[in-house]
Amino acid sequence: MKITTIGLDLAKNVFQVHAVNGTGEVAVRKTLRRAQMFGFFAKLDPCLVGIEACGTSHYWAREITKLGHKVRLMPPAYVKPYVKRGKTDASDAEAICEAVTRPTMRYVAIKSPSSRQRWRCTGRGPVRQAAHAAGQHDPRATGGVWH
């Protein structure tokens, strides 16, 4: 049974995997520890992997891509409508797996370590960073008005 699509729900130490085959049948429902992640994905043939965009998702997306898989990051708000039952890691992984296959889904670009570092060091996104460099102040400090 060849796995074609995986939904991966990330957490600090325990990750939930939901995988389906080409006919949409569930092939794997599994909980993985951090140390098991690379071994699990290294054994699989290349497939589509969906992950909710969060702080660590960019790291995992880069690492899983290195193993030959096609990784797509999605905003959590776009995945939420696909959750069928209670909020659990397993149901989130299933919803991610479902959402990543939708043709109209919008994806988040995978950030490189250097771009992630820029965001962390400055505490600003590209717009606020450019404004700061131009000598403009944070609008929250001036009642919502850029100078």
Side-chain angles (χ1 to χ4, degrees), residues 105-127:
M105 180 57 63
R106 293 183 183 179
Y107 300 107
V108 174
I110 299 171
K111 291 181 175 57
S112 67
S114 61
S115 67
R116 294 276 306 149
Q117 186 65 31
R118 254 192 321 265
W119 278 70
R120 269 185 267 149
C121 289
T122 62
R124 300 177 185 91
V127 172

Side-chain angles (χ1 to χ4, degrees), residues 83-88 91-92:
V83 177
K84 296 177 184 148
R85 52 192 179 279
K87 175 88 170 95
T88 64
S91 64
D92 284 352

Side-chain angles (χ1 to χ4, degrees), residues 15-82:
F15 307 112
Q16 187 68 38
V17 174
H18 183 92
V20 296
N21 61 19
T23 61
E25 297 170 346
V26 176
V28 176
R29 276 192 190 119
K30 190 173 189 172
T31 301
L32 297 175
R33 299 251 176 232
R34 181 179 299 274
Q36 299 171 310
M37 286 283 286
F38 292 109
F40 176 79
F41 282 100
K43 288 186 229 172
L44 295 176
D45 290 334
C47 62
L48 177 62
V49 180
I51 304 174
E52 273 186 335
C54 67
T56 60
S57 64
H58 298 278
Y59 166 78
W60 287 111
R62 287 190 305 271
E63 295 302 317
I64 294 169
T65 299
K66 287 178 190 175
L67 298 172
H69 301 284
K70 183 175 185 177
V71 179
R72 297 279 190 219
L73 300 181
M74 298 165 288
Y78 291 174
V79 174
K80 189 174 181 177
Y82 296 96

